[in-house]
């Protein structure tokens, strides 16, 4: 069975870089992408057009999103008994200590700052893949 990944990312370029970085994986990965926090919560709660979407094994979450930002999404995920065990990796451009503290206070599983360099970005995504999909035992649905 493939690892189900939900990427919450409003930047099409970063979403594409993530897809490219994961496509060469030795692990079977099914990447779903939503562009804002409202869509993310609808996906996670299987609402509307997301009713048949798979339960994600992990969420890669940008913080700076339209409609509902990543901090709000993280707070909702971690306060929902049906969603709180899903690991959430914050993957964002923010290096703000305030954002880092807030993310961890909201129970983010880790916080990674996106590099601007393409090769570094690919390495970061592949590191996430290696750690979360090959080493870590993810919780069952």
């Amino acid at each position: 069975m493939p690892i189900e990944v939900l990427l919450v990312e409003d930047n099409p370029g970063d979403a594409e870089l993530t897809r490219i970085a994961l496509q060469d994986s030795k692990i079977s990965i099914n990447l779903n992408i939503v562009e804002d926090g409202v869509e993310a919560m609808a996906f996670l709660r299987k609402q509307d057009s997301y009713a048949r979407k798979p339960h994600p094994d992990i969420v890669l979450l940008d913080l700076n999103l339209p409609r509902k930002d990543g901090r709000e999404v993280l707070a909702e995920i971690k306060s929902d008994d049906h969603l709180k065990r899903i690991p959430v990796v914050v993957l964002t451009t923010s290096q703000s200590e305030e954002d880092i503290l807030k993310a961890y206070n909201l129970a983010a599983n880790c916080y990674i700052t996106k590099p601007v360099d393409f090769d570094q970005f690919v390495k970061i995504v592949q590191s996430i893949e290696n750690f979360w999909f090959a080493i870590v035992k993810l919780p069952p649905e």
Side-chain angles (χ1 to χ4, degrees):
M1 296 209 30
I3 299 287
E4 296 293 339
V5 177
L6 175 60
L7 174 63
V8 187
E9 173 60 69
D10 65 319
N11 181 319
D14 286 352
E16 181 63 11
L17 286 178
T18 304
R19 190 189 62 70
I20 289 168
L22 292 174
Q23 76 184 8
D24 294 332
S25 176
K26 293 169 183 58
I27 301 164
S28 178
I29 297 171
N30 183 31
L31 180 65
N32 290 280
I33 302 170
V34 296
E35 297 179 355
D36 65 48
V38 172
E39 283 185 60
M41 293 314 301
F43 186 102
L44 290 164
R45 292 185 172 133
K46 297 180 177 276
Q47 296 169 335
D48 306 322
S49 62
Y50 300 109
R52 296 187 179 272
K53 291 295 184 179
H55 178 83
D57 295 304
I58 191 167
V59 175
L60 304 179
L61 178 66
D62 188 16
L63 289 183
N64 302 310
L65 299 167
R67 299 203 296 164
K68 179 180 290 195
D69 82 2
R71 297 155 196 86
E72 294 173 274
V73 172
L74 180 58
E76 281 189 47
I77 291 171
K78 294 304 183 177
S79 66
D80 184 314
D81 284 341
H82 299 292
L83 304 174
K84 67 183 178 186
R85 282 180 294 283
I86 301 171
V88 177
V89 174
V90 173
L91 184 60
T92 189
T93 55
S94 174
Q95 297 182 34
S96 156
E97 284 186 15
E98 182 181 337
D99 280 340
I100 295 166
L101 282 171
K102 185 163 189 168
Y104 281 116
N105 285 338
L106 291 170
N109 294 86
C110 70
Y111 190 104
I112 300 170
T113 303
K114 292 180 199 172
V116 280
D117 173 78
F118 171 78
D119 291 331
Q120 281 300 111
F121 188 92
V122 169
K123 283 180 185 174
I124 292 288
V125 172
Q126 289 172 340
S127 294
I128 292 169
E129 172 196 336
N130 289 336
F131 180 74
W132 285 100
F133 309 156
I135 295 171
V136 171
K137 180 77 173 148
L138 294 170
E141 182 177 342

